[in-house]
Amino acid sequence: MKFIHLSDLHIGKRVNEFSMLEDQKYILAQILSLAEEEHVDGVFLAGDLYDKPVPPAEAVQLLDSFLTRLARLDVPVFAVSGNHDSAERISFGSRLLSSRGVYLSPVYDGTVEKISMTDAYGEVVVHLLPFIKPAVVRHVFEEEEINSYQDAVHAAVSHMEIDRGVRNILVAHQFVAGAARCESEEVLVGGLDNVDSSVFEPFDYVALGHIHSPQHVGRETIRYCGTPLKYSFSEAEQEKSVTVVELKEKGQVEIQKLPLKPLRDMRRIRGSYLEVTARSFYQDTNTEDYVQVILTDEEDVPDGLQKLRVIYPNLMRLEYDNKRTRNHENITGACEVEQKSELELFKEFYELQNNQPMSGQQEVFVRGLIKNIQERGKI
């Protein structure tokens, strides 16, 4: 039995104020083609279907279209809500949708939805565990001591009815200790959301979501498939893919990754202003890609962002790597801050935000504004 493992679609996401909806539509169409070519028996969606608990209408329409087209292909879908989703919204209409082979995790109440399938090797049971927090599980199992995410997931799994004589798959959305994170993921201070991989021991395959880089944790069959698109420049060097999982007889699982080609890639470009604008430099690259430009010039380029967007229209970030920016990495002591005037502090803040100093006209305006506020006794 063959499945596609997906997660963290984050439909409706904006990266540096750029909408990713067109890119998401393109990549989902590519995934649909792969599902048809591979003749898969199902698709796992391991959480963070949307980027926000209340997604925009366009995001809802895109997910609806994706699920509808999978249903038309007669490919079952097994989806759970993630930490970015509203569990209540994801579970809406789940009983009705299940009649079309779209299975959605309900709001967690101590029970876990499970779906049984059969192939030549016997039964396969898919368990749908939505993203859970300790407080939610503690409310359900009041008699148990649940203080951490580890306690919560352990309690949830221990109360699941698992027949170890058949093949069991878990679709879940949690952070498993040891997984490598990216910048685009939410992080709890001190790793409070860590879960040990040992809690998943009863399952033949664990389809995880939450981490944006494809990887396994603990054992080969406890896996994050990663995002189908790059959502931060920390992922610029990654090759995005879908994970294809094939279960044969119990104990035998084959895993492969199929590469995805995005509508626009996400890349870092580094060099001087003259280098990154030279025709010989950019003619061999796709200037429609999402880019982060790191200029090495010692002097900032006036209106550099606007000028570079003539060549790179999807320039997301402009940064400098020079003596000034490296000096700004040093932490300023409190006494040093107190010795600076309001105008000096504002000028530093403006430069950090805009990668260029204020103009003379802007400085005159801000100086007058500060004086006006001081005279009114506000500072």
Side-chain angles (χ1 to χ4, degrees):
M1 195 168 287
K2 188 186 290 187
F3 300 91
I4 280 182
H5 174 190
L6 296 173
S7 77
D8 298 272
L9 303 180
H10 288 279
I11 300 177
K13 187 175 182 66
R14 300 181 71 86
V15 179
N16 293 292
E17 299 308 313
F18 282 73
S19 171
M20 304 298 290
L21 207 61
E22 185 182 8
D23 304 82
Q24 291 167 336
K25 182 177 181 179
Y26 181 89
I27 211 71
L28 289 177
Q30 196 172 137
I31 292 169
L32 283 165
S33 297
L34 288 174
E36 193 168 10
E37 291 168 10
E38 292 292 318
H39 304 288
V40 298
D41 300 292
V43 172
F44 304 138
L45 291 178
D48 282 355
L49 281 61
Y50 297 116
D51 191 54
K52 295 180 180 180
V54 184
E58 296 85 354
V60 177
Q61 291 166 359
L62 180 54
L63 181 60
D64 176 71
S65 173
F66 181 61
L67 297 179
T68 300
R69 291 177 68 182
L70 284 171
R72 287 174 181 166
L73 292 173
D74 200 24
V75 175
V77 178
F78 308 90
V80 302
S81 54
N83 58 301
H84 279 252
D85 299 313
S86 163
E88 293 79 7
R89 285 185 170 85
I90 293 299
S91 64
F92 176 78
S94 57
R95 292 182 182 179
L96 182 63
L97 288 170
S98 65
S99 66
R100 292 298 309 273
V102 178
Y103 303 96
L104 305 173
S105 63
V107 177
Y108 186 73
D109 61 359
T111 59
V112 172
E113 185 81 7
K114 59 180 183 178
I115 303 94
S116 176
M117 307 173 70
T118 305
D119 66 3
Y121 299 103
E123 187 180 12
V124 173
V125 180
V126 181
H127 306 259
L128 304 182
L129 179 65
F131 176 72
I132 52 174
K133 296 182 178 180
V136 173
V137 183
R138 193 185 305 124
H139 178 73
V140 176
F141 304 114
E142 295 180 352
E143 71 284 357
E144 299 187 24
E145 186 175 347
I146 298 171
N147 300 312
S148 65
Y149 278 80
Q150 169 72 18
D151 296 338
V153 176
H154 181 269
V157 172
S158 65
H159 285 86
M160 293 166 61
E161 297 179 358
I162 304 172
D163 180 358
R164 297 195 179 215
V166 304
R167 292 162 294 167
N168 290 281
I169 298 172
L170 178 69
V171 184
H173 189 94
Q174 303 289 156
F175 176 67
V176 180
R181 297 186 188 262
C182 299
E183 289 178 0
S184 53
E185 299 148 5
E186 289 187 356
V187 179
L188 290 187
V189 177
L192 295 177
D193 54 349
N194 285 6
V195 175
D196 192 85
S197 61
S198 61
V199 301
F200 303 123
E201 187 272 332
F203 301 99
D204 296 86
Y205 184 80
V206 182
L208 289 168
H210 192 43
I211 299 300
H212 291 187
S213 307
Q215 58 193 283
H216 71 273
V217 189
R219 67 173 197 255
E220 284 286 338
T221 52
I222 301 176
R223 299 192 72 87
Y224 290 102
C225 60
T227 54
L229 289 171
K230 301 174 185 180
Y231 289 135
S232 76
F233 286 102
S234 65
E235 303 167 54
E237 302 305 317
Q238 291 182 16
E239 182 180 21
K240 294 299 184 179
S241 60
V242 295
T243 300
V244 177
V245 186
E246 188 168 3
L247 279 75
K248 297 187 176 179
E249 62 265 27
K250 188 170 177 64
Q252 185 175 351
V253 180
E254 295 182 0
I255 299 166
Q256 62 174 321
K257 292 190 293 184
L258 302 179
L260 293 171
K261 183 174 178 57
L263 179 64
R264 304 175 186 88
D265 202 357
M266 186 174 282
R267 299 185 293 112
R268 285 190 172 111
I269 298 175
R270 180 185 177 88
S272 68
Y273 180 76
L274 289 178
E275 287 172 336
V276 300
T277 56
R279 183 175 298 273
S280 60
F281 184 92
Y282 67 77
Q283 267 193 332
D284 294 332
T285 63
N286 185 357
T287 56
E288 294 296 319
D289 286 345
Y290 296 117
V291 296
Q292 173 190 19
V293 173
I294 304 170
L295 293 180
T296 56
D297 305 82
E298 288 301 327
E299 297 294 328
D300 290 359
V301 179
D303 298 319
L305 190 68
Q306 288 73 22
K307 290 177 180 176
L308 286 169
R309 277 185 175 158
V310 174
I311 300 172
Y312 306 101
N314 293 311
L315 170 60
M316 284 185 166
R317 287 165 62 179
L318 172 61
E319 295 182 0
Y320 285 85
D321 182 14
N322 53 30
K323 291 180 181 179
R324 175 183 58 77
T325 59
R326 286 192 287 271
N327 287 337
H328 279 174
E329 292 176 1
N330 298 327
I331 299 174
T332 305
C335 59
E336 184 181 347
V337 173
E338 291 174 354
Q339 294 172 357
K340 294 181 179 179
S341 67
E342 291 84 359
L343 179 61
E344 289 173 325
L345 291 171
F346 188 89
K347 287 170 67 176
E348 288 185 1
F349 174 75
Y350 179 92
E351 192 167 337
L352 284 171
Q353 293 295 310
N354 297 277
N355 288 315
Q356 61 184 26
M358 292 170 57
S359 66
Q361 187 177 2
Q362 289 171 322
E363 185 175 337
V364 169
F365 174 79
V366 173
R367 191 189 301 274
L369 185 62
I370 292 173
K371 182 179 179 181
N372 186 37
I373 295 173
Q374 286 174 329
E375 289 175 351
R376 292 184 182 184
K378 299 294 183 183
I379 60 174

